[in-house]
């Protein structure tokens, strides 16, 4: 349970001691120092019922001067700000009654400055002791090191700041959520180490190891290469000990949204002096989505207010060493070993027929002809053939209305066609497709292979909001896919879906009660030609075959 307390009122004694290091115009050529510098403070929430303010710790400051270009503020709590207009709002977050001397420097031509100060005594009421303890520890001197949760899928994601397309997209990574464990492009950042330490005066933060990753969306704004790691010459605020302050969340995501059907914690933390946790987007304030002893999930809005980034950290350094996969299912409930020569077993398989592109610009016509599908030598063979008239024929088998099931492990042992332009697939569709349509029915692509790269296979999940080119997808190196048999597997439970090749997990997806993946599905085996994944077909193509040793379903 969160330990968040609000105390009514702000007790502030405001003493203005306005000073200036320059009383008269000092002009040397074009160098002019500002004069007449003043600073005033206004406590938010003051009214008859709350003469000391509303308890937020917010204070509005207004500075004025002559011959100034901009104003630099030092708030006396380890934080600074710049305001060309002279108006700025600051939140004091140290709990209790604390006195601060706020200094403003009016900056003139040639960098000349004149200053004034105001003393404020602020009673700040917001605390989240539990979050502080989880981040750093309970006792003064305690510290905790956090690392990228690189072993988890979607340890980084991207979504809109406030846009809502009907499903609360402003509160989760609706735009980009396909990153898988130990992503090759992001690999350079996984060495990062981020240390929170408890002191007498609260928490400090320090990045002790690692570079800064600069996403392309921010790299353009600062004129550097994007989607690569940079050192402190680019991310100049990366290193050094910085203060951490906690404040109530004010973002739309935290106030109105939810993540995996759970509300945000309602607490934000801000790292002083431009500090950040490895992902450099010019911002330092993080909404805490959730935090536990070993997991921290946060959201940060990139400078410019156009992108919201989601990040997951762990207090246990992830290892890339993969553990042996162990299925939770061991009861074989259905299989086809393809031991009987001839046509496929009609009690287990039926067909899709015809042409029309199948929604993907595919070139083949599906048939049940023996030249396209047969069982021979203990293997199911699906053969795509050129028809001699500029077209192609093939077969698409399915278990619809014959074998449909919810949850389980499906394992298919197959060798794939090698010809350019062939698009083999082992996949599943929701059995309710005729009533709810696609993609609402859900689709699990256990194995697909493009027609242009036969050294990799991939898997994908399609559902409402993430379908077609926006599906959750991941590839895996598979150099012998066309010369050797491999096991293509889905492990499907009420809480997780995992896709594997030869017991190596390459895609993990968190299943939730409201997803499409909690109802009956049926299996599909096919070889398409051309289309969105098949691409250009080799002009000399005549025929090629996907061979399947067995299909097994365990529950």
């Amino acid at each position: 349970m969160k330990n968040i307390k609000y105390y009514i009122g702000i007790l502030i004694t405001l003493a203005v001691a306005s000073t200036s290091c320059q009383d008269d115009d000092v002009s040397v050529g074009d160098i002019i120092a500002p004069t007449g510098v003043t600073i005033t403070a206004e406590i938010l929430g003051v009214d008859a019922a709350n003469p000391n303010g509303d308890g937020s710790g917010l204070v509005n400051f207004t500075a004025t001067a002559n011959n100034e270009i901009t104003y630099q503020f030092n708030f006396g709590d380890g934080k600074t700000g710049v305001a060309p207009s002279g108006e700025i709002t600051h939140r004091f977050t140290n709990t209790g009654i604390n006195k601060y001397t706020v200094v403003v420097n009016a900056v003139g031509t040639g960098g000349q400055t004149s200053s004034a100060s105001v003393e404020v005594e602020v009673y700040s009421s917001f605390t989240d002791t539990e979050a502080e303890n989880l981040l750093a520890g309970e006792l003064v001197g305690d510290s905790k090191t956090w690392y990228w949760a690189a072993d988890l899928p979607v340890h980084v994601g991207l979504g809109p700041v406030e846009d809502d397309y009907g499903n609360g997209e402003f509160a989760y990574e609706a735009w980009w959520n396909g990153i898988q464990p130990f992503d090759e492009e992001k690999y350079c950042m996984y060495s990062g180490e981020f240390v929170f330490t408890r002191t007498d005066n609260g928490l400090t933060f320090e990045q002790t190891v690692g570079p800064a990753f600069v996403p392309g969306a921010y790299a353009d704004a600062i004129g550097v290469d994007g989607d690569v790691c940079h050192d402190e010459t680019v991310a100049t605020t990366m290193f050094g000990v910085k203060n951490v302050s906690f404040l109530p969340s004010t973002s739309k995501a935290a106030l109105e949204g939810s993540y995996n059907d759970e509300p945000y914690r309602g607490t934000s933390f801000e790292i002083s002096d431009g500090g950040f946790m490895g992902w450099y987007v010019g911002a330092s304030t993080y909404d805490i989505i959730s935090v536990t002893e070993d997991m921290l999930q946060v959201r940060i809005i990139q400078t410019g207010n156009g992108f919201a980034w989601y990040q997951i950290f762990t207090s246990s350094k992830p290892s890339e060493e993969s553990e042996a996969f162990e299925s939770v299912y061991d009861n074989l409930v259905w299989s086809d070993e393809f031991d009987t020569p001839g046509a496929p077993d009609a009690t287990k398989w039926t067909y899709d027929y015809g042409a029309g592109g199948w929604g993907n610009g595919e070139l083949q016509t599906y048939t049940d002809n023996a030249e396209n599908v047969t069982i021979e030598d203990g293997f199911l063979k699906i053969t795509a053939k050129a028809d001699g008239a500029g077209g192609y024929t093939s077969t698409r088998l399915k278990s619809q209305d014959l074998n449909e099931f919810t949850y389980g492990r499906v394992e298919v042992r197959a060798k794939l066609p090698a010809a350019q332009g062939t698009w083999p697939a082992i996949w599943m569709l929701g059995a309710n497709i005729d009533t709810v349509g696609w993609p609402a029915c859900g689709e699990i692509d256990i194995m697909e292979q493009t027609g242009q790269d036969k050294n990799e296979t991939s898997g994908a999940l399609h559902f409402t909001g993430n379908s077609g080119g926006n599906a959750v997808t991941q590839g895996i190196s598979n150099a012998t896919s066309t010369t050797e048999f491999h096991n293509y597997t889905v492990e499907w439970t009420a809480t997780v879906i995992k896709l594997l090749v030869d017991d190596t997990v390459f895609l993990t997806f968190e299943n939730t009660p409201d997803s499409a993946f909690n109802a009956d599905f049926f299996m599909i085996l096919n070889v398409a030609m051309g289309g969105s994944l098949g691409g250009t077909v080799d002009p000399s193509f005549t025929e090629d075959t996907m061979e399947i040793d067995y299909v097994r379903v365990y529950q």
Side-chain angles (χ1 to χ4, degrees):
M1 181 65 66
K2 290 178 286 185
N3 182 21
I4 300 177
K5 302 178 181 177
Y6 292 86
Y7 301 91
I8 302 217
I10 294 180
L11 179 60
I12 297 183
T13 301
L14 184 60
V16 178
S18 194
T19 63
S20 175
C21 62
Q22 301 279 350
D23 292 325
D24 303 307
D25 280 352
V26 176
S27 178
V28 179
D30 293 329
I31 300 176
I32 302 176
T35 59
V37 184
T38 67
I39 180 172
T40 59
E42 177 193 6
I43 306 159
L44 265 65
V46 172
D47 57 27
N50 300 286
N52 299 313
D54 60 8
S56 65
L58 290 168
V59 180
N60 290 333
F61 293 96
T62 302
T64 62
N66 301 313
N67 303 317
E68 89 291 348
I69 297 173
T70 189
Y71 297 89
Q72 300 170 338
F73 291 83
N74 186 321
F75 298 106
D77 60 354
K79 299 176 188 175
T80 59
V82 176
S85 68
E87 297 181 355
I88 194 168
T89 299
H90 182 66
R91 185 192 298 271
F92 294 93
T93 59
N94 289 340
T95 306
I97 301 172
N98 296 278
K99 185 180 292 185
Y100 309 93
T101 300
V102 180
V103 178
V104 61
N105 286 309
V107 183
T109 57
Q112 291 291 302
T113 63
S114 300
S115 66
S117 66
V118 60
E119 190 174 85
V120 293
E121 193 170 4
V122 182
Y123 179 48
S124 181
S125 61
F126 180 85
T127 62
D128 189 346
T129 303
E130 183 185 54
E132 293 182 17
N133 292 344
L134 290 169
L135 283 173
E138 298 183 23
L139 303 177
V140 172
D142 284 351
S143 66
K144 185 184 287 188
T145 302
W146 294 85
Y147 313 87
W148 284 105
D151 57 335
L152 298 180
V154 202
H155 50 275
V156 180
L158 175 65
V161 174
E162 293 192 348
D163 290 346
D164 187 349
Y165 311 115
N167 294 300
E169 286 86 354
F170 57 86
Y172 64 93
E173 56 280 270
W175 288 347
W176 175 52
N177 52 28
I179 189 172
Q180 291 299 306
F182 294 101
D183 180 80
E184 183 176 354
E185 183 183 64
K186 311 297 184 298
Y187 202 90
C188 60
M189 74 182 187
Y190 297 144
S191 61
E193 296 185 8
F194 314 101
V195 181
F196 288 88
T197 301
R198 181 173 286 285
T199 73
D200 288 326
N201 298 315
L203 266 58
T204 64
F205 168 86
E206 183 179 13
Q207 179 171 344
T208 57
V209 178
F213 190 89
V214 183
Y218 185 61
D220 290 343
I222 60 176
V224 299
D225 291 338
D227 294 323
V228 295
C229 286
H230 290 274
D231 61 18
E232 62 272 26
T233 61
V234 170
T236 57
T237 59
M238 178 164 46
F239 295 123
V241 177
K242 306 174 190 300
N243 296 316
V244 181
S245 55
F246 291 82
L247 52 151
S249 295
T250 58
S251 68
K252 181 179 179 180
L255 298 178
E256 302 178 21
S258 63
Y259 191 93
N260 287 339
D261 296 321
E262 294 293 332
Y264 278 50
R265 185 177 182 89
T267 298
S268 296
F269 66 87
E270 182 180 4
I271 303 173
S272 71
D273 303 315
F276 60 96
M277 296 186 71
W279 192 267
Y280 188 48
V281 291
S284 300
T285 301
Y286 293 82
D287 266 327
I288 299 178
I289 299 173
S290 62
V291 60
T292 66
E293 282 287 350
D294 59 3
M295 192 72 64
L296 171 64
Q297 191 164 19
V298 296
R299 176 183 188 263
I300 185 170
I301 298 174
Q302 178 176 313
T303 294
N305 207 38
F307 301 97
W309 296 97
Y310 296 78
Q311 298 154 15
I312 304 177
F313 300 90
T314 176
S315 58
S316 301
K317 191 168 186 177
S319 172
E320 199 171 1
E321 296 295 326
S322 59
E323 297 181 4
F325 171 72
E326 293 186 10
S327 176
V328 299
Y329 303 112
D330 57 10
N331 181 32
L332 183 65
V333 297
W334 187 96
S335 71
D336 198 335
E337 305 295 325
F338 304 115
D339 290 333
T340 303
D345 186 341
T347 68
K348 296 180 177 180
W349 302 101
T350 184
Y351 299 85
D352 277 324
Y353 295 99
W358 297 92
N360 300 299
E362 299 166 31
L363 305 176
Q364 77 289 335
T365 298
Y366 285 129
T367 81
D368 60 3
N369 298 334
E371 66 178 5
N372 294 122
V373 59
T374 189
I375 296 173
E376 183 179 82
D377 301 324
F379 300 106
L380 169 68
K381 298 182 179 181
I382 298 177
T383 300
K385 297 176 65 73
D387 64 8
Y392 309 92
T393 59
S394 187
T395 289
R396 179 156 135 168
L397 284 178
K398 60 182 182 178
S399 67
Q400 188 175 24
D401 297 326
L402 299 173
N403 177 41
E404 299 174 346
F405 56 94
T406 304
Y407 310 138
R409 172 164 57 95
V410 180
E411 184 175 293
V412 181
R413 185 164 180 81
K415 183 171 68 173
L416 309 181
Q420 177 185 320
T422 55
W423 174 5
I426 300 167
W427 53 302
M428 302 169 66
L429 277 175
N432 60 353
I433 186 171
D434 290 336
T435 56
V436 304
W438 184 92
C441 65
E443 175 180 329
I444 303 174
D445 296 331
I446 303 172
M447 186 287 304
E448 288 187 294
Q449 187 176 60
T450 71
Q452 312 304 308
D453 185 356
K454 297 301 182 179
N455 292 310
E456 180 179 283
T457 52
S458 66
L461 298 170
H462 300 257
F463 49 95
T464 301
N466 290 84
S467 61
N470 194 36
V472 176
T473 184
Q474 183 65 34
I476 182 172
S477 178
N478 197 348
T480 59
S481 63
T482 64
T483 57
E484 298 178 8
F485 282 87
H486 294 274
N487 289 350
Y488 301 97
T489 304
V490 59
E491 177 90 353
W492 171 27
T493 76
T495 59
V496 69
I497 299 173
K498 296 181 179 181
L499 300 182
L500 308 90
V501 174
D502 296 332
D503 288 341
T504 296
V505 177
F506 68 93
L507 189 154
T508 302
F509 176 83
E510 181 181 358
N511 198 12
T512 58
D514 59 350
S515 83
F517 305 108
N518 298 289
D520 281 355
F521 274 61
F522 61 87
M523 294 176 290
I524 305 174
L525 310 170
N526 70 283
V527 178
M529 294 297 296
S532 57
L533 285 190
T536 303
V537 179
D538 184 346
S540 63
F541 176 83
T542 56
E543 64 178 68
D544 209 343
T545 299
M546 175 168 68
E547 298 182 51
I548 297 178
D549 188 5
Y550 59 77
V551 178
R552 296 172 182 168
V553 179
Y554 298 83
Q555 287 184 322

